[in-house]
Amino acid sequence: MYRTFGQAGAVLVVNAIANTGVNIYNAKKTAGLQQGFQKKLDTDEAQMDYIKNMVLRFRSIGQRIAKGGRYQPGTGPFEDFLKKGLVSEMSYRGNCNADIFVPPGPGDSPTKVRNIWATVLRSGLLKQPSTITPEVGLIWGSGCKSAEDTFRIDYFNQIKGSRKFDVLKTVETDLGTMDLFLRFGTALFLAVIMILVTKTQSSLIGEQKDIYKRKKPVKKTGSSH
Amino acid sequence: MPAMIDTLSNGPVSASSVGGATGMMIGSIVPGLGTAVGWLVGTAIGAVADTVFGARKAQQQRKQMKTAFWAAIAKRYNLQAFTSCIEQMGEAMMYAQALGFKPGTPPFDEILKKKLSTGNCIYKGNCNIELYTPGPTGPQRLAKIENGVLTPYSPNIDLDLGKKWQQACKQLHLEALKAWALELKENYEFKDSLKKETDAAKRNAATRILVNLGLSLFMLGYILKQKKKLTKIRSFKKAVKAQIASPVRTTN
């Protein structure tokens, strides 16, 4: 009986140790899991911030080209300019398809060739295999399409503005021409009137002079009586 | 058996207590064993079972944590799809407004439908949409929003997104309408300024013509007056000449 007692007691002690070990293992596993989750969330956030910056850069360069009013968005020349403008951030292939480069490191030189971070497509898909979070594809897809609309809007506004300017210029030119003709016409008319006045006045002065000459008294000479 | 294990793992009574009670009962029945020994043996066996159940429960909890985490990640992805749709909708509305269509009218809605007829966000008119997510074989249906009610076709999507979409759509329409009204105002102001400039130029021209006409009439009047004077002087001179020329007759 005492042997059984002792064996049961030993089992209890061993079980207590095993229980503690299981709890420690569980706590470690849970902590590791939570760390992994936090790391994933932080990494995803950093990736999403990076792609949002790329979208902003794409938008900014495209808007600059569109506001120039020279190249219509969606055409070949416009896309070529976009490719050139974005060459330091991505290899833009047109139609919202691009190979985005890895973020530059703190000590990297601007001319350093960077690896491709992700290949994004217009549909919002990321080319697989990729370890990047799939939200990156959605953010790029919608951001790029929205930016294209923005380019078109800016281009329209530029065209409208320049047409308004042309209309204003035409109206002011017409008014200026009308004013010029009017001034010239009135000056000519006044000049003719002035010539007539001058002519009439000088004729009158001439006739009056003639009369005064005739009326001039004759000088008396000394008499011989 | 699984139900019993679940009750022992999660219930108010642990396996050790059940084992101890069972051991005591067996110890009281089996001759020579005794209740104390029976309780100890039962408790020991129950404690081992408790440890095993505890480890199993912890494993299940970790599994649930993982499932919940990945479900939250999937929900985040679907929320991003929704946010992307709002972004595209906003720009499409500004594009339609820039083309000159008045927001809130049927032609405006038609333009939006054409603009958002492909891709992950399909506009069905009247603020109703179908949401898709990109997939390797093509877009995969995510949800449909009609009259502010979301019908999910995929799990892990917030059902409140239907109401949020309706509010967002109304707000976007309002912003587009404000932009349209502002552009209309600018166009009216531009036409008004052109008209004012033209009218001012015409008024100046009329004033100049009237002033010059008045001056000319005055000078013409002066010319006529001087010409009259000239005619009188010439006729007087003519009379004097004629008098000088005709001989004066004297009678003696």
Side-chain angles (χ1 to χ4, degrees), chain B residues 18-70:
Chain B
V18 168
T22 314
M24 269 176 75
M25 206 172 66
I26 295 170
S28 65
I29 297 167
V30 173
L33 192 62
T35 51
V37 172
W39 171 81
L40 203 60
V41 169
T43 306
I45 295 168
V48 169
D50 266 340
T51 306
V52 168
F53 294 155
R56 198 174 152 212
K57 191 178 170 184
Q59 194 185 36
Q60 276 175 348
Q61 279 174 346
R62 283 199 303 275
K63 203 173 169 186
Q64 279 169 4
M65 262 175 81
K66 274 186 193 173
T67 310
F69 177 75
W70 289 110

Side-chain angles (χ1 to χ4, degrees), chain A residues 1 4-5 8-9 11-12 15 18-19 22 25-26 29-30 33-34 37 40-41 44 48 59 123-125 133-135 138-139 142-143 145-146 149-150 152-153 156 160 164 167-168 171-172 175 178-179 182-183 186 189-190 193-194 196-197 200-201 203-204 207-208 210-211 214, chain B residues 33 36-37 40-41 43-44 47-48 51 55 58-59 62 65-66 69-70 73 76-77 80-81 84 87-88 91-92 94-95 98-99 115 119-120 134-136 183 186-187 190 194 197-198 201-202 205 208-209 212 215-216 219-220 222-223 226-227 229-230 233-234 236-237 240-241:
Chain A
M1 188 183 95
T4 317
F5 204 84
V11 165
L12 274 174
N15 187 60
N19 218 14
V22 162
Y25 172 79
N26 184 48
K29 269 284 206 183
T30 308
L33 210 56
Q34 283 171 343
F37 293 160
K40 165 123 181 94
L41 290 174
D44 287 356
M48 287 194 275
R59 187 183 278 257
S123 61
L125 262 181
T133 181
E135 278 95 333
L138 286 178
I139 293 168
S142 66
K145 286 176 205 165
S146 304
D149 285 340
T150 309
R152 288 188 191 99
I153 292 167
F156 288 155
K160 280 185 212 171
K164 272 186 183 173
V167 164
L168 188 66
V171 165
E172 285 189 345
L175 291 176
M178 181 186 83
D179 190 49
L182 196 65
R183 283 173 191 257
T186 49
F189 188 67
L190 282 172
I193 298 280
M194 285 307 293
L196 282 173
V197 165
T200 311
Q201 196 63 28
S203 304
L204 189 64
E207 295 293 333
Q208 282 176 339
D210 208 25
I211 292 170
R214 285 185 189 210
Chain B
L33 192 62
V37 172
L40 203 60
V41 169
T43 306
V48 169
T51 306
Q59 194 185 36
R62 283 199 303 275
M65 262 175 81
K66 274 186 193 173
F69 177 75
W70 289 110
I73 293 287
R76 186 187 72 182
Y77 178 77
Q80 181 58 53
S84 298
E87 192 188 342
Q88 283 181 63
E91 286 299 340
M94 296 311 283
Y95 176 76
L99 286 175
K115 192 88 185 61
N120 299 331
E183 196 175 332
E186 282 172 5
N187 286 342
F190 176 71
L194 277 181
E197 211 172 313
T198 311
K202 283 180 183 172
R208 183 167 287 124
I209 289 169
N212 287 314
L215 200 65
S216 309
M219 286 167 105
L220 273 170
Y222 179 75
I223 289 169
Q226 299 297 85
K227 270 215 151 152
K229 228 177 176 178
L230 192 65
I233 289 171
R234 277 179 182 165
F236 172 74
K237 271 170 91 176
V240 165
K241 261 186 188 168

Side-chain angles (χ1 to χ4, degrees), chain B residues 89 93 104-106 108-110 112-113 122-129 145-149 165-166 169-170 173:
Chain B
M89 183 76 163
M93 282 192 184
T105 57
F108 184 82
D109 228 29
E110 283 304 313
L112 278 182
K113 274 192 217 173
I122 311 289
Y123 184 67
K124 295 292 183 190
N126 208 22
C127 278
N128 300 326
I129 54 159
I145 299 177
E146 256 178 23
N147 301 321
V149 175
W165 168 261
Q166 208 171 32
C169 191
K170 279 182 185 164
H173 265 103

